[in-house]
Amino acid sequence: YSVTSLYDVFQANGITLKEFRQVLSSYLIHDFKARLLDLEDDYPVYRVTCQTMDQSDRVVEYTVSLINPQKTIITTSLK
């Protein structure tokens, strides 16, 4: 792992971010992923998909997170 922020790398390379999308959905977890989160198969979790595009509409960041709702509080602030 690095101590440099991905966003610092973007800036240093002249990459300007245009759009950020985040989608929160429900997902039934199973198999290996369920074991990683210490959950039973087909347990409902939050799935958060994040995608960032640059000014040329290229995806420069893509992340999928699976979150145990029993251990999480999700707060959203829109401005």
Side-chain angles (χ1 to χ4, degrees):
Y1 295 102
S2 176
V3 294
T4 303
S5 165
L6 177 60
Y7 297 97
D8 290 339
V9 173
F10 291 155
Q11 185 177 18
N13 288 283
I15 298 171
T16 303
L17 303 179
K18 174 183 168 187
E19 185 177 348
F20 175 80
R21 294 180 192 161
Q22 188 172 44
V23 177
L24 174 64
S25 59
S26 59
Y27 179 82
L28 293 178
I29 197 167
H30 44 28
D31 301 326
F32 176 71
K33 295 174 186 174
R35 288 193 300 276
L36 285 175
L37 293 178
D38 197 25
L39 296 172
E40 298 175 12
D41 278 351
D42 295 324
Y43 192 87
V45 297
Y46 295 122
R47 180 180 182 195
V48 181
T49 304
C50 301
Q51 182 174 313
T52 306
M53 279 76 64
D54 67 7
Q55 286 192 324
S56 298
D57 291 323
R58 294 177 297 194
V59 175
V60 294
E61 177 185 24
Y62 184 83
T63 304
V64 175
S65 301
L66 300 175
I67 302 169
N68 181 346
Q70 293 181 336
K71 298 181 179 183
T72 303
I73 296 173
I74 296 177
T75 303
T76 302
S77 176
L78 303 173
K79 294 183 182 184

